[in-house]
Amino acid sequence: MTNVTNTSLNAIEFPEPTMIPVNDVELEVFEAGKQNVGKPIVLCHGFPEHAFSWRYQIPALVKAGYHVIVPNQRGYGNSSCPTKVTEYDIEHLTGDLVALLNYYRYQDATFVGHDWGANVVWNLAILHPEKVNKVINLALPYQERGEKPWIEFMEEVFGEDFYFVHFNRQPGVADAILKENTYRFLRNLFRKNVPPAPPEPGMLMINLARADKPLGEPIMDDNELSVFVSAFESSGFTGSINWYRNLDRNWHLLADVKPMILQPTLMIYGDRDLIPKAQSLKGFVPNLDVVSLDCGHWIQQEKPKETNQAILKWLEQQNP
């Protein structure tokens, strides 16, 4: 177990990883609560994050009786980083989670996602509904497909410098800049007032990698930050950015899929997050409950106690 000390919560023991073969790749998986057989819950991180972003939720969920499974998804940590861009499309990302459940011999599980992880969980619930018994997503509501592919639409609205567009139109450029400035980029990003999507379009990620002085209060101490820095110094950013490079491909892959999430769902927003709250989410997710917390984008790390309380209360209501 890896000991991590934080001033707001006592020492947390983070599980040691296991490399698990799934779906023609290997995933680095952190597992806790093996004794809680039959109550699996899978936690899916976002960009540019790591399974370690769920460090505060793991012990609380284990204590509540859950078998907690936390993968570094493909492209992250020590998990496989395929070289082919299309191997990061939504079929591969959701397929990894299906294969992970099969590895543990579970028919279904509760899935929790944050940021990009939420996008994967939304689509897992649509593409493989039999594998998902409940959904808990943070920060990113379900993204309606729309009439135009996502990158094409964003380029028209926000311009070519918007980081989603830049990642796609200039492959390799951001990858190299972020890798060269890994510590500075992550130090500047993981702050309470730094949004993942700026109110004015621009090259947010590259600007953060080049900024000398961080803005805002950090959401983690240097000991915690070092986990993220070490992981990305080793893996680089290409694998994780390739998720963005499949957005238009995903748009086409989902063309004939009915966008309805019928599982009981909890959506957790950060009131200070600049990702807007969805106005029509109930239309896609009829069995929906919503919680808002006074924080920014990094919800489960900024407000760990409140996040745990919201999740555990909701799960208890679903399993009286």
Side-chain angles (χ1 to χ4, degrees):
M1 306 289 280
T2 300
N3 287 324
V4 177
T5 301
N6 182 273
T7 55
S8 60
L9 295 177
N10 294 326
I12 293 173
E13 288 191 338
F14 196 76
E16 294 292 341
T18 301
M19 299 303 297
I20 295 178
V22 297
N23 200 24
D24 297 326
V25 296
E26 280 193 322
L27 297 185
E28 182 182 28
V29 179
F30 301 83
E31 179 187 4
K34 294 181 183 180
Q35 69 275 15
N36 300 326
V37 177
K39 291 187 68 176
I41 188 165
V42 184
L43 312 182
C44 303
H45 63 77
F47 172 88
E49 294 186 90
H50 187 280
F52 188 66
S53 63
W54 298 106
R55 60 198 176 278
Y56 297 118
Q57 285 65 55
I58 293 172
L61 289 166
V62 169
K63 185 177 180 180
Y66 288 89
H67 180 189
V68 186
I69 301 165
V70 194
N72 268 330
Q73 296 171 86
R74 64 170 65 197
Y76 287 85
N78 291 316
S79 294
S80 299
C81 293
T83 56
K84 192 175 180 181
V85 173
T86 54
E87 291 188 22
Y88 296 86
D89 67 24
I90 199 63
E91 289 185 346
H92 284 86
L93 297 178
T94 57
D96 290 350
L97 298 180
V98 170
L100 189 61
L101 275 196
N102 292 340
Y103 172 86
Y104 283 106
R105 299 183 179 180
Y106 284 126
Q107 292 298 315
D108 57 25
T110 297
F111 283 85
V112 185
H114 170 254
D115 184 78
W116 246 110
N119 190 36
V120 175
V121 170
W122 289 126
N123 286 289
L124 178 69
I126 292 171
L127 294 172
H128 303 279
E130 74 285 357
K131 295 296 184 181
V132 183
N133 57 50
K134 288 179 284 294
V135 171
I136 302 173
N137 275 333
L138 287 69
L140 187 72
Y142 175 74
Q143 301 297 289
E144 188 174 354
R145 185 169 175 272
E147 296 181 357
K148 293 182 178 181
W150 284 298
I151 298 302
E152 180 182 334
F153 171 77
M154 290 180 190
E155 188 169 19
E156 289 182 5
V157 175
F158 299 123
E160 62 183 14
D161 284 342
F162 186 54
Y163 71 98
F164 277 70
V165 180
H166 185 273
F167 286 166
N168 280 268
R169 303 296 188 241
Q170 299 190 47
V173 175
D175 315 40
I177 294 172
L178 300 187
K179 180 69 166 18
E180 185 179 348
N181 299 280
T182 298
Y183 170 75
R184 181 184 296 180
F185 169 55
L186 296 175
R187 177 200 65 180
N188 293 344
L189 181 67
F190 290 130
R191 303 216 160 232
K192 290 187 178 180
N193 71 338
V194 178
E200 296 179 2
M203 296 165 62
L204 173 69
M205 300 301 175
I206 291 176
N207 291 339
L208 288 171
R210 290 172 169 166
D212 291 328
K213 295 182 179 180
L215 300 174
E217 182 182 348
I219 65 168
M220 64 184 81
D221 61 27
D222 289 341
N223 186 29
E224 295 171 310
L225 180 62
S226 68
V227 175
F228 295 85
V229 172
S230 176
F232 281 103
E233 284 181 341
S234 177
S235 69
F237 289 87
T238 297
S240 55
I241 292 175
N242 280 344
W243 292 33
Y244 290 87
R245 294 182 176 130
N246 278 280
L247 279 170
D248 281 359
R249 177 177 172 82
N250 294 344
W251 185 89
H252 290 287
L253 289 172
L254 296 169
D256 298 323
V257 179
K258 186 177 181 180
M260 290 294 292
I261 294 95
L262 300 177
Q263 296 87 343
T265 299
L266 174 64
M267 180 69 217
I268 303 178
Y269 292 110
D271 281 334
R272 304 183 187 211
D273 191 348
L274 290 187
I275 292 180
K277 298 178 181 180
Q279 300 303 310
S280 58
L281 187 57
K282 192 81 172 178
F284 299 96
V285 193
N287 195 0
L288 175 69
D289 292 299
V290 176
V291 170
S292 294
L293 301 178
D294 183 20
C295 62
H297 181 67
W298 314 109
I299 296 171
Q300 76 271 32
Q301 298 182 81
E302 290 186 50
K303 294 287 187 179
K305 292 181 181 178
E306 294 85 347
T307 301
N308 292 351
Q309 288 169 357
I311 290 174
L312 293 174
K313 180 180 178 181
W314 185 81
L315 285 172
E316 187 177 353
Q317 291 170 346
Q318 302 305 312
N319 302 292

